[in-house]
Amino acid sequence: MTEHRIYSMSFASVYPHYVAKAEKKGRTKAEVDEIIRWLTGYTQKRLDTQLRKKTSLKDFFDQAPQLNPSRNLITGVICGVRVEDIEDPLMKEIRYLDKLIDELARGKAMEKILRK
């Protein structure tokens, strides 16, 4: 899938996959939402609005109220690529979120996922 097609996908189409991955491993939708809010600065109400509006991934991250400055502490491999080596800014944000959800599904403590 090309980057353009990924960017135009709605966040709402990807979100259920994040929740399913977490729940399959005994984690919760609330934890997924907490991670998304931590990363993007959205309130729960604004996150729910973005989901309802079916905002594109590009717009979801472009409109994020406050991308967390600690997100640069997210390192490691996701989908065979080192997150810290991704050059495209939007793809990097998407992969940060993928990595955090992956850590949640692997049983990592929320304090560590949220880089506290």
Side-chain angles (χ1 to χ4, degrees), residues 2 16 25 49 51 58 61 72 76 83 86 90 93 105 109 114:
T2 66
K25 298 293 186 165
T49 298
L51 290 167
K58 179 180 184 337
F61 284 102
N72 65 340
V83 176
I86 297 171
L90 179 55
E93 299 304 335
L114 303 182

Side-chain angles (χ1 to χ4, degrees), residues 34-70:
E34 182 178 354
I35 287 169
I36 294 168
R37 292 191 316 266
W38 176 87
L39 182 65
T40 63
Y42 283 109
T43 62
Q44 188 63 48
K45 184 177 179 181
R46 286 187 71 192
L47 172 58
D48 292 341
T49 298
Q50 294 288 33
L51 290 167
R52 219 176 12 265
K53 287 175 27 182
K54 296 184 172 29
T55 304
S56 71
L57 278 167
K58 179 180 184 337
D59 289 344
F60 180 79
F61 284 102
D62 285 350
Q63 296 170 13
Q66 177 66 54
L67 292 170
N68 194 308
S70 296

Side-chain angles (χ1 to χ4, degrees), residues 87-104:
E87 292 185 18
D88 180 276
L90 179 55
M91 184 55 70
K92 187 172 234 173
E93 299 304 335
I94 294 167
R95 293 304 183 199
Y96 279 152
L97 181 53
D98 291 344
K99 182 69 176 164
L100 294 175
I101 299 301
D102 193 53
E103 290 176 357
L104 179 68

